[in-house]
Amino acid sequence: MCLILTCFAAVIASILWYFKDEKNLYKLGTLALMYWGACLMWFVDCFFALMQEEAFLDLSLNDTLLGILIILCGVLMWFAILIYNDPRKVLNRKKNFA
């Protein structure tokens, strides 16, 4: 299930990057790349599970929670990148007033 969830998040992030982030202001391409990397990782994991005669997809609750956790970690890392880059210069303005 984590493969399905991260691929879904990667597709959504890619669509948002393509249509909404023309100037790369909000670094949506970075978010999309993080999710595509996670998709590749889960695909390789599922492929090796198939080679060991296990199921290709794990649809358990634990695997679903792992997929949600991976998506949240990607959003948190993307948010940290946004805060560091400060695209709207909000933190810079507050520092100049102090």
Side-chain angles (χ1 to χ4, degrees):
M1 192 68 172
C2 55
L3 174 65
I4 295 169
L5 289 173
T6 53
C7 286
F8 186 67
V11 168
I12 289 174
S14 296
I15 290 171
L16 287 173
W17 164 75
Y18 187 77
F19 289 110
K20 298 292 182 186
D21 201 14
E22 296 171 1
K23 296 179 182 176
N24 198 24
L25 187 65
Y26 295 109
K27 308 291 185 199
L28 287 171
T30 304
L31 180 65
L33 283 175
M34 284 192 281
Y35 287 145
W36 283 118
C39 285
L40 180 63
M41 177 187 68
W42 293 127
F43 182 74
V44 169
D45 182 56
C46 291
F47 180 74
F48 277 101
L50 191 64
M51 288 180 61
Q52 294 177 353
E53 298 178 0
E54 297 175 11
F56 184 75
L57 290 176
D58 184 8
L59 301 177
S60 67
L61 178 63
N62 287 338
D63 204 52
T64 304
L65 292 175
L66 180 62
I68 292 170
L69 180 66
I70 292 298
I71 291 171
L72 289 175
C73 286
V75 168
L76 288 175
M77 289 302 298
W78 172 69
F79 191 64
I81 291 169
L82 272 182
I83 289 174
Y84 179 76
N85 288 328
D86 195 16
R88 301 179 103 193
K89 306 298 182 214
V90 174
L91 297 175
N92 195 15
R93 276 187 261 151
K94 288 183 181 179
K95 190 167 83 172
N96 289 336
F97 285 120

